[in-house]
Amino acid sequence: MHTHTALRDRVEDLIPRIREEAARTEAERRIPTEVLAALLDAGAFALVPAAERGAREAEVLELVRAVAGACGSTGWVTAAGGAVSWLLDLFPPAAWERLDDVVDPLVAFSPELSGRLTGPDDALVLNGSWTTVTGAAQASWLLLGVRRHEVPGEPGRAGLVLVPVEDCELSEPVDTVGLTASGAQDVRARGAAIRVGSWADAEHRAAQLRPVGTIAAMALVGAAAGALVTHLEQSRQRLALSHGGEDVTALDLSPARIARAASLLDGAALVLREQAAGHHDPDDQPRDPFEDQLYAVDRAVETTALVFASLRAHALDNDDPVARLWRDVRVGGYHARALISRLRALG
């Protein structure tokens, strides 16, 4: 594992390349190998222990926002990979040591409580099925939501299990209209043996799971921001080509609509940044961080709807980057809401 400094700075030069490859990424339904390798080399997926993490959450948020603004799929995968360290905080040191033996391991996760873990600590057995696990196509390890059944008739404790990807069965990549290159696959385990130290009880540990939802929500805010900025640039280019002869209203570019979209995004990003900074409600009122994450997701979806209403393109126009980001945010909204709800249920 490696520590982390100036993560955003190390990835900054990759953003134009990610944007250039976005159409190819969607068409081929996978992140280009060289892009994924560059993100890995920059430390976007580094597993950093809590004691060495510092301001990593805030830096990961800004990284994810920038990457998602260039390519929704790449941003979503970057968010999932960047959040893994906080999930590993739930595990004993043995889990970290296991991953430390692998050079730059890629870890995919699903907090969906669809697994059943049985047996004593030294002979745990995993069975279950998980749907649409982001990044499973590139992963070498999986973190999966399970219930540990110890007492007959009781539901069992909710938690996570760490398992090598080769111990599970993976479907073909899930075919979606948006986030086409998220590497999402369905996962199934049939009697997989789980090593000691690879199970973590997650009940009543929502505070430690909170950053995962914050980072995922920022991926959608970033993609929505990318759609807005790209649309404005397209409009400026069309006006320049018309030598000023085309009225702004002819482009359906409503200043009020765009101002509202920008305001929604600013509010959503602020909520997530405040979470990462550890700031509390100024009136000292209790807040549900997962509700704030859902608020940010909904604002991102609303923003892209406003932008798309101004767009002269078909929803399935593969050549228009705004339409592509709109599709990513629409599909990502469903995934993010499900993820955040599962994190809340898990913790």
Side-chain angles (χ1 to χ4, degrees):
M1 299 179 195
H2 39 110
T3 56
H4 163 90
T5 55
L7 176 59
R8 171 70 185 275
D9 292 341
R10 295 207 297 275
V11 178
E12 191 70 37
D13 293 341
L14 292 177
I15 301 301
R17 174 70 181 278
I18 292 170
R19 184 176 292 108
E20 290 170 5
E21 296 285 5
R24 171 190 165 195
T25 298
E26 181 179 64
E28 296 183 359
R29 311 187 76 82
R30 66 178 185 85
I31 300 174
T33 302
E34 58 273 23
V35 171
L36 193 63
L39 286 168
L40 186 63
D41 185 61
F45 305 107
L47 303 178
V48 182
E52 303 173 16
R53 205 168 289 155
R56 182 171 174 83
E57 183 182 350
E59 291 189 323
V60 169
L61 278 184
E62 298 310 314
L63 164 70
V64 165
R65 191 174 192 273
V67 172
C71 175
S73 286
T74 307
W76 184 249
V77 171
T78 302
V84 168
S85 293
W86 283 271
L87 293 175
L88 287 173
D89 285 346
L90 305 178
F91 285 80
W96 287 91
E97 293 166 3
R98 195 158 299 138
L99 293 172
D100 204 20
D101 292 336
V102 183
V103 177
D104 291 324
L106 287 173
V107 183
F109 68 87
S110 171
E112 183 182 7
L113 292 171
S114 297
R116 181 182 177 90
L117 198 61
T118 56
D121 287 343
D122 59 350
L124 290 171
V125 176
L126 174 66
N127 289 280
S129 299
W130 298 262
T131 57
T132 321
V133 181
T134 295
Q138 299 93 13
S140 53
W141 290 83
L142 299 168
L143 280 169
L144 303 171
V146 297
R147 285 196 176 275
R148 184 170 180 183
H149 293 270
E150 299 170 284
V151 179
E154 293 190 4
R157 287 180 290 159
L160 291 168
V161 66
L162 177 66
V163 58
V165 72
E166 60 265 21
D167 289 355
C168 299
E169 303 169 13
L170 274 63
S171 71
E172 291 297 313
V174 177
D175 191 5
T176 62
V177 175
L179 295 182
T180 62
S182 65
Q185 294 177 283
D186 295 337
V187 174
R188 184 168 186 175
R190 303 175 191 253
I194 303 302
R195 294 174 60 178
V196 173
S198 294
W199 141 261
D201 188 339
E203 290 191 354
H204 310 298
R205 301 181 75 177
Q208 290 167 275
L209 295 170
R210 191 272 311 156
V212 179
T214 306
I215 293 168
M218 186 60 94
L220 297 192
V221 172
L228 176 58
V229 170
T230 303
H231 177 47
L232 291 173
E233 181 59 31
Q234 289 174 342
S235 299
R236 280 194 290 267
Q237 291 175 0
R238 289 199 296 271
L239 284 171
L241 288 173
S242 70
H243 303 289
E246 188 173 7
D247 189 76
V248 172
T249 57
L251 296 170
D252 295 326
L253 183 62
S254 163
R257 183 184 295 152
I258 296 304
R260 174 165 172 73
S263 176
L264 290 172
L265 284 181
D266 286 345
L270 177 62
V271 164
L272 299 176
R273 287 169 176 148
E274 292 285 288
Q275 285 195 2
H279 294 165
H280 301 289
D281 187 278
D283 298 321
D284 203 28
Q285 296 298 310
R287 298 180 67 94
D288 181 346
F290 297 111
E291 281 298 324
D292 286 346
Q293 293 163 12
L294 291 171
Y295 166 85
V297 169
D298 290 342
R299 298 294 77 76
V301 173
E302 185 179 354
T303 295
T304 51
L306 288 168
V307 172
F308 193 73
S310 300
L311 184 64
R312 291 181 171 183
H314 189 276
L316 296 180
D317 185 352
N318 292 330
D319 295 325
D320 193 293
V322 179
R324 183 166 56 248
L325 287 164
W326 177 80
R327 293 192 296 271
D328 289 340
V329 174
R330 293 285 294 184
V331 172
Y334 293 109
H335 289 305
R337 292 184 192 104
L339 171 64
I340 293 166
S341 297
R342 287 166 179 167
L343 288 169
R344 174 190 274 157
L346 178 66

